[in-house]
Amino acid sequence: VHYVKKARNHRWRCSDVTFWCADEHLCNQWIQALKELLEMQKSRPKQLLVYINPYGGKRQGKRIYEQKVAPLFSLASISTDVVITEHANHAKDNLFEVNIYKYDGVVCVGGDGMFSEVMHGLIGRMQKDSGIDQNNPKASLVQCNIRIGIIPAGSTDCICYSTVGISDPVTSALHIIVGDCQPLDVSSVHHNNTFLKYSVSLLGYGFYGDILKDSEKKRWMGPMRYDYSGFKTFLSHHYYEGTIAYQPAKRTHGSPRDKESCRTGCYICKKSEKQLAEQNKEHGLKHEEGEEEWKVIKGKFLAINAVNMSCACPRSPKGLSPAAHLADGSADLILVRKCSRFDFLRYLVRHTNQDDQFDFPFVDVYRVKCFQFTSKLSEDNESNVMDIGKKRFGQFCRDHPACCCNIVNSTWNCDGETLDSSAIEVRVHCQLMKLFARGIEENCKDEAADSQSSIEQLL
């Protein structure tokens, strides 16, 4: 009998135990009982569509899948259709063509960029089949019930790290085999009533946008380009002037500074799931934007970050927002105002230790369900950015004099991809998609022994 057990540092491993019995009748009873138990686990996938990126990240996606993942899928009697991607957006385009409804899930082998392709393909396909216009920023998107599995083989694997606790291909494969399910919030990004992108991790303007824009020119450096571009961007110390309007997430429990990290079985995400189910029963999902108050902030910012998850990674174990939740229907909006280079360095260092990274007078953080941003340059040069923007931001911009020392636009970093439009409208869609994961588990070292004893008792 093959089974899954927990190891250290959030890892899962496959193990087995062999039974002997002289009584053939009793042996057959055991086999029949095990088959019935497996049949009851309907969440376990039987057929998967697998996309492998052989070029990105570590450039080892195909090898990792063939040597570590495929044998486990075969052992679990999971049939797979494998597609080796040959160019950018190959997986996204393919998902609009295949019969996705015959699969129990879609697996992407690669980095965050590969996951983004699969996510855009699945969500876009669901909206197309349901007749939903993605260009409408106020549209109620249809939930995607086909789960996505992530086999990490990229440079950072931020999404996998933030939802599992480690970037380990075997652990992720076992989560898929067991049939775990983790809902995930998705933010839609629009410009002038035109759909741009979906985001599940970081949407950053200023510092992180500049890093990405500069690093794209230095792909020949490999993963080192991020360190080089990060250091260069820090020294440049550019700030950007603009106006932000946001709606607070009043119905969401918790706050960005309450130190309540999102973990397996998170009660805050569970409450949001119940609220979402109640809303869907009442004539579908309704937005109440006009009835809720918008708050407006104007100023000069070194960085504007919106995160749907903690964005944790090995270099920043707590992430950009340690208390962000995976499925509570909100995003944490982090505003880093203009400050000295030394103070900004202190803020960046806080991401690598246990200190409160929001405990600075120049840093503000809000839990929001939607927000809009317009740069000062866009306000001056684009009179038709958005009708709502003209009404809401116009007076503030007229009262605020133009800055003559740094009147340039940054680039939005949307999950590692650049967005050139500085004026955007962002909305969080609660639990729009599902992953083959269960969130980060607490006290894995202690739970390993308990899990082992429980399995032995069950067997």
Side-chain angles (χ1 to χ4, degrees):
V1 175
H2 297 271
Y3 65 94
V4 173
K5 66 177 182 179
K6 296 175 185 175
R8 294 185 176 183
N9 299 325
H10 304 289
R11 285 181 171 84
W12 281 20
R13 288 295 177 261
C14 189
S15 189
D16 63 85
V17 59
T18 305
F19 296 90
W20 288 271
C21 181
D23 187 345
E24 184 178 356
H25 177 67
L26 180 58
C27 185
N28 288 331
Q29 283 184 320
W30 286 352
I31 293 173
Q32 186 60 33
L34 287 169
K35 285 183 177 180
E36 290 175 359
L37 285 171
L38 291 175
E39 286 297 324
M40 291 172 60
Q41 297 182 8
K42 295 181 180 179
S43 62
R44 294 179 65 250
K46 296 179 181 178
Q47 188 168 5
L48 297 171
L49 176 58
V50 181
Y51 292 100
I52 301 176
N53 181 4
Y55 308 110
K58 303 181 181 71
R59 298 182 181 273
Q60 298 176 352
K62 188 176 180 181
R63 181 188 64 81
I64 288 173
Y65 178 78
E66 291 176 347
Q67 296 182 6
K68 296 184 178 182
V69 179
L72 293 174
F73 285 171
S74 177
L75 189 65
S77 300
I78 297 175
S79 62
T80 58
D81 290 338
V82 179
V83 177
I84 307 295
T85 60
E86 300 174 353
H87 54 80
N89 291 320
H90 184 169
K92 176 184 174 182
D93 296 339
N94 186 253
L95 282 166
F96 278 87
E97 300 171 356
V98 300
N99 178 16
I100 60 173
Y101 301 103
K102 72 176 184 178
Y103 298 103
D104 300 305
V106 179
V107 176
C108 58
V109 185
D112 293 337
M114 187 64 185
F115 169 80
S116 180
E117 269 196 46
V118 171
M119 175 187 68
H120 279 81
L122 267 183
I123 296 178
R125 174 67 181 273
M126 293 298 293
Q127 309 318 309
K128 178 183 177 183
D129 291 352
S130 302
I132 304 296
D133 181 11
Q134 292 185 100
N135 287 319
N136 180 4
K138 296 180 175 61
S140 298
L141 301 183
V142 175
Q143 284 183 300
C144 182
N145 292 319
I146 300 175
R147 287 169 288 177
I148 299 178
I150 308 172
I151 303 298
S155 301
T156 56
D157 301 310
C158 169
I159 297 168
C160 183
Y161 195 95
S162 297
T163 54
V164 177
I166 191 169
S167 300
D168 176 56
V170 173
T171 299
S172 295
L174 293 176
H175 276 290
I176 295 170
I177 291 170
V178 171
D180 282 331
C181 184
Q182 171 62 56
L184 196 64
D185 294 337
V186 179
S187 292
S188 60
V189 185
H190 289 77
H191 167 72
N192 199 18
N193 291 323
T194 301
F195 170 73
L196 299 180
K197 286 283 186 180
Y198 290 116
S199 171
V200 294
S201 57
L202 169 68
L203 190 60
Y205 185 84
F207 183 71
Y208 289 104
D210 291 348
I211 290 178
L212 181 63
K213 186 175 182 179
D214 186 75
S215 67
E216 287 294 301
K217 306 172 186 176
K218 301 174 177 62
R219 284 188 167 272
W220 55 271
M221 295 179 65
M224 287 182 59
R225 68 184 185 272
Y226 297 114
D227 295 329
Y228 174 83
S229 296
F231 182 67
K232 178 181 175 182
T233 303
F234 170 76
L235 292 180
S236 66
H237 202 60
H238 284 159
Y239 62 87
Y240 303 92
E241 188 173 1
T243 308
I244 299 168
Y246 69 91
Q247 280 189 327
K250 293 181 178 179
R251 297 190 65 182
T252 302
H253 299 273
S255 72
R257 301 191 66 177
D258 59 13
K259 298 183 180 179
E260 290 286 340
S261 299
C262 188
R263 294 293 181 260
T264 301
C266 174
Y267 76 95
I268 290 178
C269 294
K270 290 288 185 183
K271 286 185 178 179
S272 294
E273 185 176 12
K274 291 180 180 177
Q275 290 177 357
L276 184 63
E278 292 173 359
Q279 288 176 342
N280 287 332
K281 287 181 182 178
E282 300 174 358
H283 310 292
L285 190 62
K286 291 185 178 180
H287 295 295
E288 301 176 353
E289 293 178 5
E291 301 176 7
E292 295 194 17
E293 179 185 1
W294 284 80
K295 297 184 181 297
V296 180
I297 298 174
K298 56 184 171 74
K300 301 173 183 177
F301 306 97
L302 288 172
I304 299 170
N305 301 321
V307 297
N308 287 62
M309 56 179 65
S310 66
C311 292
C313 65
R315 291 190 176 186
S316 178
K318 291 173 61 181
L320 290 176
S321 184
H325 290 268
L326 297 173
D328 66 344
S330 72
D332 287 353
L333 179 63
I334 307 166
L335 308 180
V336 184
R337 296 178 181 272
K338 179 184 176 184
C339 62
S340 68
R341 188 177 282 105
F342 176 72
D343 281 341
F344 189 55
L345 177 62
R346 290 170 59 209
Y347 166 73
L348 294 177
V349 169
R350 289 279 177 96
H351 291 80
T352 64
N353 57 40
Q354 298 299 313
D355 295 333
D356 183 1
Q357 59 205 48
F358 302 132
D359 189 22
F360 291 104
F362 54 87
V363 178
D364 298 314
V365 59
Y366 309 95
R367 187 150 287 175
V368 305
K369 66 177 186 178
C370 56
F371 73 92
Q372 298 173 351
F373 173 77
T374 304
S375 69
K376 179 62 178 174
L377 189 62
S378 296
E379 291 170 354
D380 291 341
N381 296 341
E382 299 179 16
S383 59
N384 61 341
V385 170
M386 279 184 287
D387 292 337
I388 191 172
K390 286 189 289 186
K391 295 177 182 177
R392 191 168 289 123
F393 304 151
Q395 186 60 44
F396 288 95
C397 298
R398 283 194 296 271
D399 296 341
H400 193 66
C403 174
C404 59
C405 58
N406 196 29
I407 186 162
V408 291
N409 278 340
S410 179
T411 300
W412 281 98
N413 179 340
C414 180
D415 292 0
E417 296 183 27
T418 59
L419 296 179
D420 292 329
S421 300
S422 59
I424 63 171
E425 182 176 359
V426 181
R427 178 184 314 312
V428 182
H429 300 269
C430 184
Q431 303 188 8
L432 186 62
M433 58 172 294
K434 296 180 175 68
L435 299 181
F436 281 109
R438 60 170 60 183
I440 298 176
E441 297 176 291
E442 287 278 21
N443 303 320
C444 281
K445 185 176 180 181
D446 297 334
E447 288 179 358
D450 297 337
S451 176
Q452 179 69 20
S453 62
S454 299
I455 292 171
E456 290 172 351
Q457 290 174 7
L458 177 63
L459 294 175

